[in-house]
Amino acid sequence: MKVSFFLLAILACSVLHAQQLPQIKVSGNKFVTGNNQLIVFHGLDTSDPYKLKNDGQWNKRYFQEMKNWGANVVRFPVHPANWRTMGNEAYTQLLDEGIQWASELQLYVIIDWHSIGNLKTGKFFRPSYETTIKETNDFWRTMAKRYGKNSTVAFFELFNEPVNNNEFGACTWAEWKALQEDMIAVIRAEGALTVPLAAGFNWGYDLTEAGANPIAATGIGYVSHPYPQKREKPWADKWTKDWGFMAEKYPLILTEIGFSGKEEKGAHIPVISDESYGDAITAYCKEKRISYTVWCFDPNWGPMLISDWNFNTTRQGKYFKEAWLKK
């Protein structure tokens, strides 16, 4: 019996090893695999795994559908309140499941600390986003220990959408830069190979200050969330000025894009637009080799990509699914 169990364990390890994806790293302004092969990511944002579990939708079927659409990366938004509600061990078991399904389907994973607000002042957009500097660093220490050498987990997105306007209180770029550098140091202290992703102000949209005074760390990427109403048409030159210029020196991934027709459920500022936004943002990313993920693969969190759990598409869902399948 012991021999049989030992053989099964070896077999299980062999299967797991066969599912390993190439490690992602940074080379200049590109994301590359271990053998320096360029990779451009296009994928989907899930809703919070905690929500999906409660909806009965945290399963391999969900991941298979994202793969069917043509995604090569999926992003898990971990809300601090849900992290506390479940507790570290229970929540990481959810992440274990999602990462395993992603591995089996050859999908990379972004783990995102999904807070919106000002970490320095402790003022946040909603209760679900409330956190502290200590909790944030503890979260990344846990992630680094558990997934830092798991090549499926390509990215750690340090903080979803930093805001420093009057409502949330003052925070200079130098202060926010230092907080992100501390998070990176926590991650690197655990020997993690995962690529950290850093964000700028204006709800994770603006990278101008980061361009003038970059994060003091190598091997990282930057993010932006260029929803359509952040700027008026025509977009391209404004995008270049606000965040696209960073792609000349650093790898860039737009971890939230998307649009909603004004007639659709969940339509709200800054996401209201039409297919012209889809054409513009995908063309811009293609030209500059910028990666992106689309929000959100859930029928309740707008802008939605699906209208139900049979995966019928919304307006933007139809657009992105057809665009990727045409590739």
Side-chain angles (χ1 to χ4, degrees):
M1 182 64 73
K2 288 182 179 179
V3 173
S4 177
F5 178 81
F6 181 68
L7 291 173
L8 285 172
I10 292 174
L11 180 61
C13 289
S14 299
V15 170
L16 186 61
H17 181 73
Q19 293 161 355
Q20 289 287 303
L21 290 135
Q23 185 74 50
I24 298 302
K25 63 180 183 177
V26 169
S27 177
N29 66 341
K30 299 177 179 67
F31 296 124
V32 298
T33 60
N35 60 358
N36 290 317
Q37 185 82 25
L38 170 69
I39 182 165
V40 179
F41 294 96
H42 51 273
L44 300 166
D45 295 304
T46 73
S47 51
D48 193 303
Y50 174 82
K51 176 193 183 294
L52 289 164
K53 182 71 172 180
N54 288 341
D55 288 347
Q57 302 298 330
W58 187 244
N59 50 47
K60 191 173 179 180
R61 170 180 174 266
Y62 179 75
F63 284 75
Q64 182 65 63
E65 186 65 19
M66 292 189 285
K67 180 72 173 183
N68 292 348
W69 281 36
N72 64 1
V73 64
V74 292
R75 175 178 180 251
F76 302 158
V78 180
H79 288 68
N82 293 340
W83 175 254
R84 289 189 296 272
T85 296
M86 285 199 80
N88 295 13
E89 275 306 310
Y91 203 111
T92 50
Q93 287 173 20
L94 283 187
L95 294 177
D96 288 349
E97 292 172 346
I99 292 162
Q100 179 61 30
W101 293 322
S103 297
E104 291 169 3
L105 294 165
Q106 298 291 284
L107 292 164
Y108 284 98
V109 168
I110 303 168
I111 296 176
D112 154 46
W113 188 233
H114 201 77
S115 180
I116 300 175
N118 188 328
L119 190 59
K120 177 198 166 192
T121 63
K123 295 181 179 180
F124 299 93
F125 182 54
R126 289 178 184 151
S128 61
Y129 303 124
E130 291 177 0
T131 186
T132 64
I133 294 170
K134 182 182 185 304
E135 182 182 53
T136 298
N137 284 330
D138 286 347
F139 174 81
W140 286 123
R141 186 175 294 107
T142 299
M143 294 299 101
K145 285 180 178 178
R146 196 167 185 112
Y147 307 118
K149 293 184 173 68
N150 185 323
S151 60
T152 297
V153 184
F155 303 108
F156 289 152
E157 188 171 349
L158 301 174
F159 191 95
N160 174 49
E161 291 185 348
V163 189
N164 70 333
N165 60 21
N166 292 336
E167 180 183 354
F168 297 93
C171 180
T172 66
W173 169 252
E175 290 169 327
W176 177 231
K177 172 178 175 289
L179 287 172
Q180 292 190 97
E181 288 167 355
D182 287 346
M183 296 177 214
I184 294 167
V186 166
I187 290 166
R188 297 268 168 86
E190 301 301 331
L193 303 176
T194 319
V195 176
L197 298 176
F201 291 131
N202 190 2
W203 305 71
Y205 171 75
D206 189 349
L207 288 173
T208 53
E209 290 186 281
N213 186 13
I215 300 287
T218 59
I220 71 166
Y222 286 89
V223 302
S224 179
H225 294 177
Y227 285 112
Q229 290 175 290
K230 300 299 287 188
R231 286 292 220 159
E232 294 182 354
K233 289 183 181 182
W235 289 293
D237 289 346
K238 296 163 189 171
W239 286 340
T240 298
K241 179 182 177 183
D242 295 342
W243 51 266
F245 70 94
M246 288 289 275
E248 295 177 8
K249 291 185 177 180
Y250 307 97
L252 189 58
I253 178 166
L254 313 179
T255 50
E256 288 187 27
I257 67 170
F259 70 91
S260 176
K262 61 183 178 181
E263 78 287 351
E264 290 187 284
K265 182 180 80 169
H268 64 280
I269 295 172
V271 307
I272 298 170
S273 190
D274 56 26
E275 288 75 8
S276 65
Y277 165 81
D279 289 341
I281 196 73
T282 54
Y284 189 89
C285 289
K286 181 178 180 181
E287 177 189 352
K288 297 181 181 294
R289 294 182 174 180
I290 293 172
S291 299
Y292 65 87
T293 56
V294 190
W295 186 276
C296 177
F297 205 65
D298 187 287
N300 306 116
W301 287 13
M304 290 84 78
L305 287 153
I306 53 176
S307 59
D308 55 46
W309 288 118
N310 292 319
F311 304 121
N312 290 305
T313 57
T314 60
R315 186 171 173 180
Q316 73 150 346
K318 180 176 185 290
Y319 175 87
F320 285 105
K321 183 178 182 181
E322 289 182 355
W324 291 348
L325 293 181
K326 282 177 184 175
K327 282 186 180 180

